[in-house]
Amino acid sequence: MTHVVTESCIKCRYTDCVDVCPVDCFREGPNFLVIDPDECIDCAVCIPECPVNAILAEEDVAADQQAFVEINAELAKKWPSITRMKPHFPDADQWVDVKNKLQYLER
């Protein structure tokens, strides 16, 4: 089992989770983070660090977010590793409560 970054992260991309990951399994895209399922050890230390509750255990991903299981796996193979927290986007707080953000995902 692995953890999955879901839609809430799009256009927010807070990186608090990255600092606590013991195996550096996060990958960074233009406006989203993903977890490499081949690297994740299912430790769950990243979950409470996410200020937008975007990280879930795979078995807890809601039906309307299931596409993100595959999105994480696909993009983890393309995007570079991120191992340190970075400043969040200046408008990140404005995107926190926005729903249906998949259309804004930059690959």
Side-chain angles (χ1 to χ4, degrees):
M1 205 50 62
T2 186
H3 284 76
V4 178
V5 180
T6 59
E7 185 175 49
S8 298
C9 183
I10 297 172
K11 288 195 128 328
C12 291
R13 201 187 69 188
Y14 291 100
T15 57
D16 305 51
C17 53
V18 172
D19 272 346
V20 299
C21 181
V23 294
D24 299 332
C25 68
F26 283 91
R27 305 294 181 259
E28 178 185 26
N31 68 349
F32 186 61
L33 296 175
V34 296
I35 293 174
D36 184 334
D38 294 330
E39 298 291 326
C40 180
I41 60 170
D42 199 28
C43 68
V45 296
C46 57
I47 292 175
E49 298 303 317
C50 181
V52 295
N53 300 313
I55 304 170
L56 301 170
E58 186 175 350
E59 66 266 15
D60 295 333
V61 175
D64 68 335
Q65 297 290 300
Q66 281 295 311
F68 285 92
V69 174
E70 180 56 35
I71 289 170
N72 276 245
E74 171 198 340
L75 297 177
K77 294 176 180 151
K78 300 175 182 178
W79 287 351
S81 179
I82 177 173
T83 59
R84 293 281 176 239
M85 188 171 157
K86 294 182 176 181
H88 63 273
F89 295 135
D91 64 343
D93 292 339
Q94 297 170 18
W95 287 94
V96 170
D97 295 320
V98 175
K99 302 294 182 208
N100 301 313
K101 297 192 289 185
L102 183 56
Q103 63 187 327
Y104 302 110
L105 176 60
E106 297 175 34
R107 294 174 180 254

